[in-house]
Every structure is written in structure tokens, then in C-alpha cells.
Amino acid sequence: MRMLQMLVLPLLVSSLITGMAALDGRASGRMGMRAVIYYTTTTVIAVFIGIILVLIIHPGKGSRDEFIKQPKIEQINPADAFLDLIRNMFPPNIVEACTKQFKTQYAKRVVHVTMTVNDTIFTLNGSQVITREEMIPVPGSVNGVNALGLVVFSICFGLIIGSMREKGQPLKDFFDCLNEVIMRLVAIIMWYAPIGILFLIAGKIVEMDDIADMGGQLGMYTVTVICGLLVHAIIVLPTLYFLVTRKNPFVFIAGLLQALITALGTSSSSATLPITFKCLEENNKVDKRVTRFVLPVGATINMDGTALYEALAAIFIAQVNDYDLNFGQILTISITATAASIGAAGIPQAGLVTMVIVLTSVGLPTDDITLIIAVDWFLDRLRTTTNVLGDSIGAGIVEHLSRHELQKKDPELGNSVVEEAEKKPYQLIGQENECDTERSVNSETKM
């Protein structure tokens, strides 16, 4: 996993820049609009699947005593969380964005109040000054790649390079080569991936408490989440793919098997990104201009599994507390879960942090997130796999819808279009043409 995480940053930047540079503003705008519509549609569908299942199965029915309390979760204000999302989109320092994310933190402030009545000191408990503490938001940061900021920067950077045409060609060639190097490194790392995934999962199972001690409510909650993710991954996403492309979705999914297993092992959609690129481009033959744009954006903002899990978990916590939710509150949960999933980073257990926002929106106790921590490591892997599948199917759908624009663009781009070669993967057509011209010149000189 460490080797894959090492490649995420250069791959994210290089793939987005080359993908955007290969498209003109109008084509990338249309492609982006289609991708956003797809992301929004699938996320909303996932949220409603989660809500319907949790209301039908009702896993929170029973006594609250069977839960073992875990350590407290850090409190966060929903307004600050959404503002952090906007602040992270525009980092003040692009180098710092590679290692840190902006996050509002809370500090205690002691307020001293002196009260006077009729020009005399009003004393309370023998003191002339009333002292009270209050929590105030202060700017802070946490370690981790600010993927959202890098995505925004890379998209703008790539579009400008594309608009510069000949002047921007050297930069475009540089990022093309960087992308090719990263993909070749991924090919090497893939030889070690099965062993790494095996030990990642084995380590988590060893750390786990006795499964027999898991309460009936938590067991039913786990089953409900798994059912929701299976319905979304096996029925909804393949049906969407078939309706749009009229192709067999399961053949497409079979080509993604390596990426899905990696997502299951690493529990991180960002860490799985290099493998997802490789599977889509080599196995499913998806246009690299589409994957370079859709996948990095999708790994950052498209979280179908996380949205489903957050909506389901919020209603489960309400059921455990015997708290009846009305239609308006359920609608609030669905909207907040959709928005919060966009802000969830592509890292392990990021959904737990954004769960606080969903619970706060309907006045549920945020401390009760600790009730579901015992099984979160397992469910996190499953929802990450669903997220990666959603991103990949999105790339297939966007490519199909954008096929006419991509075909029109091919003759205009000429040698600058990056394509796959059968014997030489990840090589520029421009490089091949240069080799052909050199050979022809040499043959002419011999004649």
C-alpha cells in the first residue's frame, strides 16, 4: 500500500494535466458536465437505496446495552466542514497542498467579564470578575494530500496548456512522459500487490475482537450495509452502463477485477487509482483522454458507497436511540449524506469524519458514531470497492457519450494524441512517427 500511495500524487497531477491538455475547452466542458451528472445521479441513487433498506430491515431494533462504548469522536461543526471543503479547493500554497489539508480546529478561549451595577462592582461568589470558557474555531491543518486542491489546479493548468497549442507542447510532452513512467512503475508494483493485499487483510482480521461478541443489532447493521452496497454495485451500476452503452457490463467489470481486489485490500480509492488506470486502459481499452480526466476527479468527489453508508448509519443510530425521524429529517439526511460524501477524502475511514456532519444536521448524538466503529474497518473496504467500481463505470459511460467529440478531435491533434501500442504500451504516437521518419530517411540515404 505504501508503494501505491507513493505514486498517487504524481499520477493524479500528470494524468489530469495531460488529459485536459489533450482536449479543447468545449470538449472538456461537455465531458465534465456528463461526469458530474453521472456522479450526482449515482450518489443520489445510492443514498436512497441505503435509506430504503434501513427502513425496511430496521437493524437498530432492540436494546442499546449490547454495544460496547469506544473512545469519543472529535466534534466538528457542519458549517466549518463545508467551508473547509471550499478552502481546500483553492490552496494558498500548491507545494504545501501535496502534504497538508486545511482543517478548522477548535481552541478554548477564557473570557473575563467584569459586571458593574450603578457604578459599583457586582460581585458573584466573592469574585469581581466572571470567567467562562468558550470554544472558538481556529485555522489548522492535518497531514495528507489535498487531492481536491490539486485536482482544481491540475484541471486549470491542463486547460491553459491545451489552449497554448505549440507553445505549451514541451510542458505537455513532459507530463505525458511523467504519466508513462508512473504507469510503468505501477506495472512493476503489481507483481507484489497480491502479497501486500493478503497481509493487509490478514492483519486486520488478527486485530479484530471476537466476532461472536458482536451484538445482534451490529450484525444486522453490517448485513444491511452489505445488501445496500451489493444492490448498488451488482444491479444499479451495471444497469446504468447497459442502458447507456448497450454493452455487457459484466465483461467490463471483469476487466476491473484487479482494481477491485486492490480497493478491498487497501481501503483507499486514491491508493487504488494507479491500478484502476491500468485496468481501464489496458483491459477495457478506454480512451486515455477520458480516464485521465474522469478517474482522478471521481476518486476525489464520487463516493457512492460512502454516501449509502452515511445515510444508512445515521438512520441506524436514530433507531438505536428510539428516535423517530419524519420525512423532512430523512430528506435532510439524504441531501447532507450526498454533500458530505463529496467532501470525504479518498483515504481509509474518511467516512467516519463526515458522518458527524450528517448526524448534526438532524440533531442526533455524534458520540454514537462509536457504536459502529467495531465493524467500520470491514465495511470501509466494501464501500471503497463500490466507489472504485462507480468511478470506472463512469469512465466507460462518459467515453461512450463523448465518442463523437473524441473522434473529431483525433485528426486535429495528430501526433499529440496519446494512444496504446500493441507491443509498446504507454508510448506516444508522435514518438513512433519520429522513429518511422528516421527509418525512412536512413533507407533513402542507403538507396
Side-chain angles (χ1 to χ4, degrees):
M1 184 175 174
R2 293 169 72 92
M3 286 190 286
L4 285 174
Q5 285 175 327
M6 172 182 69
L7 301 179
V8 169
L9 181 62
L11 181 64
L12 183 80
V13 174
S14 64
S15 62
L16 261 178
I17 289 174
T18 51
M20 297 310 295
L23 298 165
D24 61 2
R26 188 177 297 174
S28 60
R30 287 177 184 168
M31 196 184 290
M33 185 58 68
R34 287 170 187 140
V36 168
I37 291 169
Y38 167 80
Y39 295 153
T40 309
T41 306
T42 53
T43 305
V44 169
I45 291 170
V47 167
F48 278 104
I49 289 170
I51 290 172
I52 290 164
L53 281 176
V54 76
L55 292 175
I56 292 171
I57 298 173
H58 207 84
K61 188 179 179 182
S63 172
R64 190 190 163 89
D65 300 333
E66 58 187 72
F67 290 100
I68 301 167
K69 275 282 184 182
Q70 301 279 342
K72 283 193 174 184
I73 293 283
E74 182 188 355
Q75 299 296 315
I76 186 167
N77 187 308
D80 289 332
F82 282 116
L83 287 172
D84 285 349
L85 188 65
I86 296 167
R87 291 184 192 108
N88 278 320
M89 286 174 70
F90 307 101
N93 187 333
I94 197 67
V95 177
E96 189 182 37
C98 299
T99 56
K100 286 185 179 179
Q101 300 178 28
F102 184 93
K103 186 185 178 189
T104 301
Q105 294 172 342
Y106 300 92
K108 284 183 181 179
R109 183 174 68 179
V110 179
V111 181
H112 301 284
V113 181
T114 304
M115 296 186 68
T116 59
V117 180
N118 296 329
D119 297 329
T120 61
I121 300 296
F122 177 78
T123 60
L124 183 67
N125 295 332
S127 174
Q128 296 178 348
V129 179
I130 297 172
T131 303
R132 65 186 177 90
E133 287 185 350
E134 62 179 16
M135 300 296 289
I136 57 165
V138 293
S141 61
V142 289
N143 289 330
V145 177
N146 179 4
L148 203 58
L150 291 174
V151 163
V152 172
F153 173 80
S154 301
I155 288 173
C156 298
F157 196 79
L159 283 172
I160 297 298
I161 289 176
S163 66
M164 289 171 68
R165 300 195 178 274
E166 289 81 11
K167 287 184 179 178
Q169 193 61 37
L171 259 182
K172 187 177 177 299
D173 290 341
F174 167 76
F175 284 108
D176 275 334
C177 292
L178 179 61
N179 192 261
E180 184 182 344
V181 169
I182 299 299
M183 294 310 293
R184 292 193 180 190
L185 280 171
V186 170
I188 297 167
I189 290 170
M190 283 315 299
W191 288 97
Y192 305 99
I195 301 166
I197 291 165
L198 174 70
F199 281 103
L200 276 171
I201 296 175
K204 277 293 176 185
I205 292 170
V206 169
E207 288 173 15
M208 212 181 132
D209 295 330
D210 189 5
I211 300 175
D213 292 340
M214 189 188 292
Q217 284 173 289
L218 207 53
M220 283 304 295
Y221 162 73
T222 307
V223 169
T224 309
V225 174
I226 291 171
C227 288
L229 293 174
L230 284 175
V231 167
H232 190 71
I234 295 176
I235 298 172
V236 173
L237 292 176
T239 304
L240 268 176
Y241 181 82
F242 174 74
L243 289 174
V244 175
T245 65
R246 298 294 175 183
K247 294 177 185 174
N248 188 341
F250 296 103
V251 173
F252 187 86
I253 293 169
L256 299 168
L257 205 56
Q258 208 170 21
L260 298 178
I261 292 169
T262 307
L264 189 69
T266 59
S267 184
S268 168
S269 49
S270 294
T272 312
L273 199 56
I275 315 299
T276 316
F277 269 108
K278 195 166 167 40
C279 289
L280 278 174
E281 292 170 9
E282 288 192 357
N283 299 344
N284 292 340
K285 309 298 180 190
V286 178
D287 194 303
K288 293 179 81 171
R289 289 169 292 174
V290 176
T291 58
R292 288 175 178 190
F293 173 62
V294 174
L295 286 183
V297 176
T300 309
I301 65 171
N302 184 36
M303 303 281 179
D304 296 347
T306 304
L308 183 149
Y309 153 84
E310 286 180 353
L312 196 154
I315 297 174
F316 169 74
I317 287 169
Q319 291 172 355
V320 168
N321 288 287
D322 289 326
Y323 186 82
D324 291 326
L325 297 169
N326 57 38
F327 178 75
Q329 288 171 315
I330 291 173
L331 193 64
T332 304
I333 286 174
S334 63
I335 294 167
T336 318
T338 304
S341 68
I342 295 170
I347 55 172
Q349 296 186 329
L352 277 180
V353 179
T354 51
M355 265 298 297
V356 177
I357 302 169
V358 182
L359 292 178
T360 309
S361 68
V362 286
L364 289 169
T366 53
D367 285 348
D368 283 357
I369 294 175
T370 57
L371 303 177
I372 58 176
I373 283 180
V375 292
D376 189 71
W377 72 270
F378 174 64
L379 297 177
D380 189 33
R381 282 165 159 68
L382 296 180
R383 64 179 184 258
T384 302
T385 308
T386 308
N387 292 342
V388 170
L389 179 63
D391 295 344
S392 305
I393 285 182
I397 289 174
V398 170
E399 187 207 29
H400 180 80
L401 295 173
S402 307
R403 64 192 184 281
H404 298 304
E405 287 145 31
L406 293 169
Q407 285 168 4
K408 284 178 188 174
K409 194 69 185 160
D410 282 342
E412 294 174 20
L413 287 170
N415 294 343
S416 64
V417 178
V418 182
E419 297 287 353
E420 297 283 346
E422 290 181 8
K423 295 183 181 179
K424 298 178 182 178
Y426 303 105
Q427 188 171 23
L428 294 174
I429 283 185
Q431 293 173 348
E432 292 178 4
N433 290 347
E434 285 169 9
C435 295
D436 292 340
T437 51
E438 285 175 8
R439 285 172 192 164
S440 62
V441 169
N442 291 336
S443 61
E444 285 174 9
T445 50
K446 285 177 184 176
M447 289 172 69

